[in-house]
Amino acid sequence: MKKNNVAKVFFISLMKSILFIIILLCVGFGSYKISYTILSDNGGNVGTSKGDIEDIIEDAQTDEISKNLIYVTDEDRITNMMLEICNTKTNNMDYITVPVRTEYTIPATMYQKLCTVNQEIPQIVRIGRLKSYFSNSEDAYGYGELIVEKMLGIKISYYTVLDQATYDSHYTKKMTKVRFSQDVDQATATPGPDGVVPASQIKRVNERISVASSTYVKQLKDVSGDQEKIAEYIKQQYERVESNLTVYNKIGYIECYEKMNVDYFHYWGVPGTFNNKVFTVDTKAAKEFITKLADSTKSYSEPQQGLQAASSANGKKVKSSKGLSIIVLNGSRINGLAAATQTELTTAGFTVKEIGDYTEETLIQTRIIVKQKGLGNDLAGYFNNPEVVTGEVREGFDIEIILGTADAGQN
C-alpha cells in the first residue's frame, strides 16, 4: 500500500514538472512569436510620429561606430563598392571606395570553409564577380562581407545593396590621389637622401572614388535637423534596397543623422596598388587607416578639401554629357584601354558609340574634346587630371575622348 502511495506521489510530481516545463516553453515561444511579428511588421512600417520616433531612438540597438558595406549591382555584376563609417560619437560620416577590379587571395582556412558552400569558388576572387561565385544573392552578399572583412582587416557591421539607378542618382566619381605608407622589400626599396633604405615608403596611387552627387546632397539637406523627416526618408530609402540591417535599427541612428552636416561628409580611396588594371588592397595599411578613422574623437568642422563633387564646379551647374554621342580613341598605345573605358562609361550611363586608335602622337594626359563650352566636365572625374578643351570633334559625335598613358591601369 505504501509502495502504491509513493509511486502515486512520484507520478503526480513528475506530471507537474512536465506541465510546468511545457508552460514555460509555450510562454517563451509565444513571446518570441509576438516579438518577431512586431519587429517584422515594424521593419517595413515603422511609425514616424514624434512619440513613435522617441520610442524607437530609445529602444533601438545601434553601434557607436557602424561600418556599412555598400554593394552596387547591375544584374549579376557588382559595379561599385563602398564602406560607409557612421560615427555616432563625433557625428562624422566617411565613405571609402573599394575598386571592383580588386583581386584578393582568400586565406586557406576560410577558403576551405567556403568550398563547402560552393566547391567551384576560386581562391583568388575578383570583387566585381562575387555574385557569380554563389548560387544566390544573399550568400554572395553575406559571404562577400566576410571576405571583405579579411581583406580590409576589420569587422563590418552590416551590408546594403543599391541598384545601379539609385547609385547613379546619389553618387558621382572623382579622381583623387590616395597616399599611404607601404611596407617594402629591402632589396627593392629606394634609398633616402641619406642612403638609408627605409622599412616603409609613402605610396601615391590614383583612384576614382564615389562622392555624393549634388542631387543627393540636396535631398539630405532637405531633411536635415528634422527627426520625423529623417525617419521617413530612411524608410523610403530602405524600401528600395536590400540589407541585413532592419529599418528599425537604422532609424536608431536618427540622432546622429540629425546632427550631421552633409557638407562635411568625407570620401576616401582604400590603400592599395594597381598592377595592369588589377587592384590589390594593402591590408595592413587599410586596417590602420580605417581604424584611425573609426577611432577619431575629432568632429569634422569643414568640408573636405579638394573633393567637391564632379557634378558641380565653381558653384555652377555642369552640363550633362549623358545622351550625347561619344567616341573614345586610344592615344596611350596600351591595348584594351579604349574598350575598358567604353565599358565603364556605358555602365555609368554615357553613350559611347565607337572606339578606335589615335595615331598622331602618344598622349600622357587624357584629352576630352567637346563641341560646346561647358560640356565634358562630368566626364572628367573618370580620368586622371584630364584636359577638357572646346574644339572640332569627329563628324557624327558630340564628344571625343583621347586616352593618355596616365589612365592606364586605372580602368
Side-chain angles (χ1 to χ4, degrees), residues 125-405:
V125 295
R126 177 75 69 92
I127 292 301
R129 299 174 184 165
L130 278 174
K131 292 186 71 175
S132 67
Y133 301 143
F134 299 94
S135 59
N136 61 69
S137 295
E138 187 175 347
D139 282 349
Y141 302 138
Y143 289 114
E145 180 182 329
L146 297 179
I147 291 170
V148 175
E149 281 186 342
K150 284 286 186 183
M151 185 175 73
L152 300 181
I154 61 168
K155 293 296 291 182
I156 295 174
S157 308
Y158 56 97
Y159 69 77
T160 302
V161 185
L162 305 180
D163 59 38
Q164 189 65 45
T166 301
Y167 173 85
D168 290 340
S169 68
H170 286 185
Y171 299 94
T172 186
K173 291 289 185 68
K174 180 75 174 178
M175 179 64 75
T176 189
K177 197 177 291 292
V178 178
R179 181 179 181 274
F180 62 98
S181 179
Q182 183 184 47
D183 290 338
V184 294
D185 186 338
Q186 293 286 320
T188 58
T190 304
D194 57 359
V196 177
V197 176
S200 64
Q201 292 182 329
I202 298 300
K203 187 79 175 176
R204 294 172 177 84
V205 178
N206 292 319
E207 295 182 34
R208 272 189 289 276
I209 65 174
S210 297
V211 301
S213 66
S214 55
T215 302
Y216 189 36
V217 169
K218 184 179 183 303
Q219 289 177 357
L220 293 175
K221 284 184 175 180
D222 286 344
V223 302
S224 178
D226 188 317
Q227 288 191 349
E228 293 181 37
K229 285 184 178 179
I230 293 171
E232 187 61 37
Y233 183 76
I234 291 173
K235 282 176 54 186
Q236 291 173 356
Q237 294 300 307
Y238 264 69
E239 286 171 356
R240 301 169 55 188
V241 305
E242 182 179 344
S243 178
N244 61 350
L245 181 76
T246 65
V247 180
Y248 181 84
N249 281 333
K250 188 69 173 176
I251 289 179
Y253 292 105
I254 283 180
E255 282 187 322
C256 185
Y257 286 124
E258 184 185 17
K259 296 173 184 176
M260 283 182 177
N261 186 331
V262 65
D263 290 327
Y264 298 167
F265 285 9
H266 278 43
Y267 308 91
W268 315 91
V270 69
T273 54
F274 281 100
N275 181 12
N276 191 28
K277 300 183 183 180
V278 174
F279 188 80
T280 303
V281 171
D282 185 320
T283 299
K284 181 180 178 181
K287 179 180 180 179
E288 291 176 353
F289 171 63
I290 295 171
T291 301
K292 184 178 179 180
L293 279 182
D295 291 347
S296 174
T297 58
K298 184 179 180 180
S299 299
Y300 297 140
S301 57
E302 59 183 22
Q304 188 178 17
Q305 297 300 312
L307 275 177
Q308 286 72 29
S311 56
S312 62
N314 300 322
K316 298 180 181 179
K317 187 175 181 180
V318 174
K319 294 180 181 178
S320 175
S321 301
K322 292 186 176 180
L324 299 180
S325 181
I326 301 172
I327 182 172
V328 175
L329 302 176
N330 191 349
S332 71
R333 302 290 193 274
I334 297 172
N335 292 335
L337 190 57
T341 301
Q342 180 186 36
T343 299
E344 181 174 16
L345 294 180
T346 300
T347 299
F350 297 98
T351 305
V352 180
K353 289 191 173 180
E354 188 175 323
I355 62 173
D357 291 322
Y358 181 77
T359 57
E360 294 183 24
E361 60 178 318
T362 300
L363 294 186
I364 296 175
Q365 298 302 129
T366 293
R367 184 181 302 155
I368 302 174
I369 307 171
V370 297
K371 283 184 176 180
Q372 301 176 14
K373 188 175 181 179
L375 291 175
N377 291 311
D378 55 343
L379 288 163
Y382 292 85
F383 305 98
N384 182 14
N385 194 27
E387 177 188 15
V388 182
V389 298
T390 304
E392 288 190 15
V393 177
R394 301 197 181 208
E395 187 175 351
F397 299 94
D398 302 300
I399 299 174
E400 182 175 326
I401 301 175
I402 306 175
L403 301 171
T405 57

